[in-house]
Structures are given as C-alpha cells and as structure tokens.
Amino acid sequence: MPTLRRDARRNRDSIVSAARQVFASVGFDAPLDAVARRAGVGRGTLYRHFPDRHALAVAIFEENVREIERAAESAVDGPGGFDVLLRSVVEQQVRSPGLVPAVLSGTETSELRAMGVRVACAFAAPLRRAQEAGSVRSDLTTADVVVIVRMVTAVVDAERDEGRRRLAAARALDLLGRGLG
Amino acid sequence: MPTLRRDARRNRDSIVSAARQVFASVGFDAPLDAVARRAGVGRGTLYRHFPDRHALAVAIFEENVREIERAAESAVDGPGGFDVLLRSVVEQQVRSPGLVPAVLSGTETSELRAMGVRVACAFAAPLRRAQEAGSVRSDLTTADVVVIVRMVTAVVDAERDEGRRRLAAARALDLLGRGLG
Amino acid sequence: MPTLRRDARRNRDSIVSAARQVFASVGFDAPLDAVARRAGVGRGTLYRHFPDRHALAVAIFEENVREIERAAESAVDGPGGFDVLLRSVVEQQVRSPGLVPAVLSGTETSELRAMGVRVACAFAAPLRRAQEAGSVRSDLTTADVVVIVRMVTAVVDAERDEGRRRLAAARALDLLGRGLG
Amino acid sequence: MPTLRRDARRNRDSIVSAARQVFASVGFDAPLDAVARRAGVGRGTLYRHFPDRHALAVAIFEENVREIERAAESAVDGPGGFDVLLRSVVEQQVRSPGLVPAVLSGTETSELRAMGVRVACAFAAPLRRAQEAGSVRSDLTTADVVVIVRMVTAVVDAERDEGRRRLAAARALDLLGRGLG
DNA sequence: AATGAATGAGTATTCATTCAT
DNA sequence: CATGAATGAATACTCATTCAT
C-alpha cells in the first residue's frame, strides 16, 4: 500500500502514535482498545491497519529505524560520526519506553530481524570510519553494535522517569566505552 | 514460613520448578493453570502458596539469588574471585530463560529491589579485592555490577537455544571487559 | 427496477453470481465482504443493490425459480412432463449447494413464500396432465410437490461433492417414487 | 469423563437442556451467552464443558440417539416394530426444532457420522423383521432409513409451530410410504 | 454512482480468582 | 488441606452498516 488515502494515512499515524504512548505507560500488553481509544478511532479501524499487536510493534520500530537511517545519513562525515550516531540511537531509546518486551517477544519475527539488519547497515560506514581513525577497536562488527544497543536499552528500560533513563544510559555507555578493566 | 509440612514443602518446590519450565517455554505471561498442571497440583494449591504471578517470580529469583550468595561465599579468596562470580551469575542467566519480563515488569517491587541489593552485597567483597589487585577499575560500584548483569541478561535473552545464549553471553562479556575503544 | 444502466446491471449480475459461489463454498453465513470481493465491487455497491443477506438469497432464488418456470413452459406437452420437470428442478438443486439454510431461515418471508407459490404454479399443468394419464397418484397437490423438492434438497445438501449429490438425489427420488412398502 | 462430580453433572445437563431451548427458539447460530444465561451458569462453565458450539450439538444429538436406541430396544418384537420406531424418531424431530443447521454444518464431523451409524444400527433388526414380514420393500437399507429421517426432518423443520410440524411430518411420511405413483 | 475507510455493536474466548466438595 | 468446578471481568475480534472521498 504505497499510496493511502489522506484520511486513512492520518488515522494510521494517529494509531501508531497512540500505541507508542499507551505501550509506554501501560506496557506492551496493554489492551488494544486503549490504543484505539487514544487514537480516537474505532476498534475496526485499528484492526484494518494492524491485524495484531505485533504489526503495531513493527510499525513503531519501523519509524524508529527510519529515524536511525536518517541520522546515519547526516552523520557520515567525521571519524566521530559513529559516536554521534550511537548516542542518537540511545537517546531514541531513552524517549521510547516500554518496547523491550515487544523486541523480546518478537525476536523470532523476520520483520524485526530485518530491522536489526537495517540498523546494522546504518552503522556500517560510520563504524568503518571510526575504526580507520582508531577511535573504535577494529574487531567490532555491526552485529556488535546491535548487541550494544540492546544492552543499553535494557539498562534504560529499568527506569521509568526520563531523566533517570538518560542517566542510566550514560552510565551504561560509560561502562561499555571504557571497559571494566 | 520457615517450617512447612513435608508434603507442603514438596508441593511448593514442584510449583516453583514448574513455573521455571513454563515461563521458559511459554513466557512469563503463561496461564498460571499451566504451572499448576505441570506441577501436578490443583489451582487452589498453587494459589495457597503463591497469591499471584509476582510471588512466583519472587520465589524463582529467591532461589537464583541464594545460589549467587552461595557462589559468592565460595569464591571470596583470590583476586580473580570477582570474575569467577560474575561468570557464574551469567551462566545462571544462560540457564534461566524467560525471566527478563518478570524483572522488567517488577522492577518497582520492594522484594525484587531487595534482591538486587543482595546480589550487590554478594559482589561487594570480591569486587573490592579485584579493585585492590588492580584487575577491575576502581570507580566500579556494586550497583554497576547489577547493571552489568542486566546488560548481559538482555543479550542472552535475545536467544532461545542454550548454546547460542552462552555464545551471546560470552560476546557481551567480552565487549564489556575490554571496552569499545 | 426493470431498466438498469448497463454497467449497473453487470454489477448486479456479478454480485448474484459471486454470492452463489461464496454461499456454496463458505456457507450461507459467509461475510458479505467475501461476496463483494469476489464480485469485484465495493461494499457500497453490494449494499446499494442488496440491502441485506436476505435480498441476496431472494435474488438467487429468483433466478432459480425463473429457470424452473422456463423449464415448465417447455415441458408442458406429454404426460411425462411432470417427471422431466421434477428431475430438472432436482438437478438445479444438485448444482446449487449451500442454499438450504437460506430457505430454512427465511421461510417466513413473503418473497420466499411467493416463490414457493410460483414453483407450485409451474408444476400445476404438468401435474394435472400426469394425474390424468394415471402416472401420478391423484391426491398429490402442487403443495406436495414443493414438499417433495424440499425433501430431495435436504438429502442432496448432506453431500458436498457434486457427483455424490447427484447420487443422493437419485436415491431420494427412487425412495419417493416407489414408496417404502 | 465417566464419573463427573454431582454438581458438575447437573450443570452439564442444564447446559444441554438450555442449548436445546435456545437453539429451538433463536436458531443454531444463537449466541452461546444466551445458552449459558438460560442454563444459569457462567460463560466459563459453558466453555469448560463444551469447547465450542459443535460440541454442544453433539451432546444434544447424543441424547437424541440414545433415546432412539432405547426405543429400538423396546420395539424389537412384532413386524410393526419398524414403523413404530420410525414414527418415534419422527416424533422426536417434531419436538426438537432448530437442529437441522447443526446437522448440515456438521456432516463432516466424525462424531456426527458415528451417530448416524448408531441410528442405522438401531434400525437394523426392526427393518429386517419388517422386510421378512413383507411390510417393507426388501431393497431398503439402514442407510436409506437415515435418508428417510433426513427427508422428514427437512419438511418438519420448515414449520415453527409444533402442531404444524406434526402435520407436515405426517404428510411427508404418507408421501414416502405410498410413493408418488 | 462507486469505492473502500470507518464505526461499533455483538460475540467469542481466556484466565485470575473464589469456593463448594 | 487439596482439588478442580464455577465465575465473570477483561479482552480479542468480526462484520453489518454508514459515510467521506
């Protein structure tokens, strides 16, 4: 469905946005009704756009991934691009609570797996440049980057309050950056 | 309940063990019925021992924490004790899948918080010794250790198969140990 | 609506034909959506032509009844006309599966009742001729003919496959024709 | 489940009885809620006993078939046993409206097929005796008997009112008994 | 006029929790 | 005490019908 009627598009967007908020405050197992209500649409409309909860998670992540891809394109230049990109991804996680269970329960899904690949790809160039500049160890792969994001996200998601989430993220990045030794 | 009739004790243990298995294979949101059935007890019995799902999670973690405390006591001696202890905790996570949602959804609970503290305490002496020996950076706190465990667990729990979980754990520990730079 | 714009007419026909197929394969309680989709029209169009499921059933039966009336006109001549007509009606049932629930649930409707009357009328002349020739017992009424059709239909509709439906019809007609004694 | 707790048994029976009434007055597609309500039990109880609508139909038919089997046992004696048995089955249909859709929609099911076989078996001895006495044509099989029952049932179920149902049954039996010729 | 998006009432279904046996 | 039957609130989901485009 590349082209969607204007109003349908608006509804779809409302729903995804509502899902973000509801999942953030109630959890990923929130009633889908609550999502529909907050989006201001009927049950059926929700179901038309997203046949199940998982489809909703995919849509949310899709937006996140796209944002990461955009960030990757802007940040390609210097050797510090990797760090900037990583921090922007972490910041995204700080502001998007409640999605970890979605990731975990859906690891199997090919869609989510594909998104992981896209995130890895987005990091490819900046990572290479940083490694060439010597600011990142040379055996780090893009798969490792995804792992790193996952680690930070886990720490972040242990907190509710945004400020504390940001603090937790910083500490996690610090531990990761300098190593334990 | 320090003293429990022998058979009641056996029931309780069956239930916790069943809960481990069920949560591992179905997920933490499995029907409690499934737990009771696998434990071979009636609904009422499960209910008598554990008023709700959370109590079950606490009981499971209680066993885990106790195991950690035991490991901490055995490993106090050398400067490598910290590393050994950390690895044993990680190994425990490798073998206990499906509990992350429990941790995440229950972070607020005082019981779980208390267990975090106990884990931190268990690490206190080994950590201090490792820092004195210079094998671990001196600004690392026991709270950081809990954070580290959380990070590794998140990576581990992205996999189902035990072998892959162990591999994932190793990579996460490697990233953490040597740092990104 | 005797006069209908050419394209509207085509739409209407597509819908009735689609309804036949869908009711046959899914059952009379199939979603009307499925009918619209198979007809290649929008929901609204289906709705314009047929305000509800019942109207659709009526339209299908209307075609059937008209076919019976045509058959009756061609077969008026000989004393065997009754038998030929009855067999052609039965053959129609063999080829139109899934309509029994429609008949049953809609017995009350005046439209369907009227159609029953039309079927009875179609049989009037052939029946009289057959009775005069002595090949059909004289106390048989046209109402009985409708009953007979219903009986055969019930037996036919217990089968899915067209071949078996035809076989079942033959057996039912045989039982009816020769009596049990 | 050969032995069922006394109260559970009572509930089960209430449900089947309620289902009979509800299906008779509302139709086989009545909301299951209505059945539960009329039985005076909760939704869950209905589901515990009967996982779906079909299971309910099977239970109803089971009672019917058992009644037929009992009738068959009492009526074995004379050559008129066949006729008596057939009439008692027809009378059962007269008093159990609304089940035809159930039969039709479930023809495929092995349970229902098995019940058809049981009905056929019940008729075996009486049929043989009647054939030996010459009161029933010799090529009639027990499968034909099931067909006959189906035919009568179809005619009966075209009426709502019990009196008219009985009348319709009589006419159908008459047509069948004497044949059309 | 045709389309298909939106609506929401109606129904199915699950499962935590209570309670009779 | 243990059991598992019963309950019903909560939730999922479908689909007839309306209506904006």
Side-chain angles (χ1 to χ4, degrees), chain D residues 17-40:
Chain D
S17 163
R20 265 183 202 285
Q21 298 174 286
V22 171
F23 289 165
S25 62
V26 186
F28 183 57
D29 54 350
L32 293 188
D33 257 37
V35 174
R37 210 172 321 118
R38 177 171 277 241

Side-chain angles (χ1 to χ4, degrees), chain D residues 87-165:
Chain D
R87 279 171 197 284
S88 85
V89 171
V90 168
E91 176 62 18
Q92 189 187 61
Q93 296 304 315
V94 166
R95 286 193 315 256
S96 307
L99 294 179
V100 176
V103 190
L104 293 177
S105 75
T107 315
E108 336 263 0
T109 324
S110 60
E111 287 114 316
L112 289 182
R113 219 186 282 283
M115 290 192 186
V117 173
R118 281 168 60 192
V119 171
C121 285
F123 271 92
L127 173 60
R128 185 166 30 78
R129 241 180 308 266
Q131 286 172 325
E132 284 164 4
S135 64
V136 168
R137 61 194 243 205
S138 62
D139 69 332
L140 208 73
T141 67
T142 54
D144 287 328
V145 174
V146 176
V147 168
I148 288 164
V149 170
R150 209 189 290 275
M151 291 169 100
V152 176
T153 301
V155 173
V156 165
D157 249 24
E159 304 287 347
R160 288 292 246 184
D161 170 71
E162 190 171 313
R164 302 179 68 136
R165 289 168 73 85

Side-chain angles (χ1 to χ4, degrees), chain D residues 11-73:
Chain D
N11 268 341
R12 213 198 106 102
D13 291 347
S14 305
I15 292 171
V16 175
S17 163
R20 265 183 202 285
Q21 298 174 286
V22 171
F23 289 165
S25 62
V26 186
F28 183 57
D29 54 350
L32 293 188
D33 257 37
V35 174
R37 210 172 321 118
R38 177 171 277 241
V41 304
R43 289 188 206 325
T45 305
L46 178 80
Y47 275 89
R48 160 186 290 273
H49 288 288
F50 304 100
D52 55 27
R53 184 182 303 278
H54 181 251
L56 221 34
V58 167
I60 291 174
F61 286 127
E62 171 66 32
E63 288 187 358
N64 284 4
V65 170
R66 228 172 259 181
E67 193 184 320
I68 292 170
E69 287 172 333
R70 268 199 303 276
E73 279 174 28

Side-chain angles (χ1 to χ4, degrees), chain A residues 82 86 100-101 104 107-108 113 134-137 139-141 144 147-148 150-152 154-155 157-160 168 171-181, chain B residues 82 86 100-101 104 107-108 134-137 139-141 144 147-148 150-152 154-155 157-160 164 168 171-181:
Chain A
F82 174 77
L86 181 57
V100 176
L104 293 178
T107 315
E108 338 263 0
R113 218 185 282 284
S135 64
V136 168
R137 61 193 243 203
D139 69 331
L140 208 74
T141 66
D144 288 327
V147 168
I148 288 165
R150 210 189 288 275
M151 292 169 99
V152 177
V155 174
D157 249 24
E159 303 289 347
R160 287 292 245 184
R171 185 58 174 157
L173 277 177
D174 178 67
L175 287 172
L176 272 164
R178 296 174 31 213
L180 305 182
Chain B
F82 173 77
L86 180 58
V100 177
L104 293 177
T107 315
E108 331 268 1
S135 64
V136 168
R137 61 194 242 203
D139 67 333
L140 208 72
T141 66
D144 288 328
V147 167
I148 288 165
R150 208 188 291 276
M151 291 169 99
V152 176
V155 174
D157 249 23
E159 304 287 347
R160 284 292 238 186
R164 302 179 69 134
R171 185 59 175 157
L173 278 177
D174 177 67
L175 287 173
L176 274 164
R178 300 173 27 212
L180 305 182

Side-chain angles (χ1 to χ4, degrees), chain C residues 56-133:
Chain C
L56 224 31
V58 167
I60 291 174
F61 285 129
E62 172 65 32
E63 288 186 359
N64 283 5
V65 169
R66 224 171 262 180
E67 192 184 319
I68 293 172
E69 287 172 333
R70 268 199 304 276
E73 279 173 27
S74 337
V76 282
D77 312 68
F82 174 77
D83 200 59
V84 170
L85 182 56
L86 180 57
R87 281 173 196 282
S88 84
V89 170
V90 168
E91 176 62 18
Q92 190 186 61
Q93 297 303 315
V94 167
R95 286 193 314 256
S96 306
L99 296 179
V100 177
V103 190
L104 293 177
S105 74
T107 317
E108 331 267 2
T109 324
S110 59
E111 287 111 317
L112 288 181
R113 218 187 283 282
M115 290 190 188
V117 172
R118 280 168 60 193
V119 171
C121 284
F123 270 93
L127 173 60
R128 184 165 30 77
R129 241 181 311 265
Q131 286 172 323
E132 284 164 4

Side-chain angles (χ1 to χ4, degrees), chain B residues 72-81 125-126 129:
Chain B
E73 279 173 27
S74 336
V76 282
D77 312 68
R129 240 180 311 267

Side-chain angles (χ1 to χ4, degrees), chain A residues 77-113:
Chain A
D77 313 67
F82 174 77
D83 200 58
V84 171
L85 183 55
L86 181 57
R87 281 172 196 283
S88 84
V89 171
V90 168
E91 176 62 18
Q92 189 187 60
Q93 297 304 314
V94 168
R95 287 193 314 255
S96 307
L99 294 179
V100 176
V103 190
L104 293 178
S105 75
T107 315
E108 338 263 0
T109 323
S110 60
E111 288 114 315
L112 289 182
R113 218 185 282 284

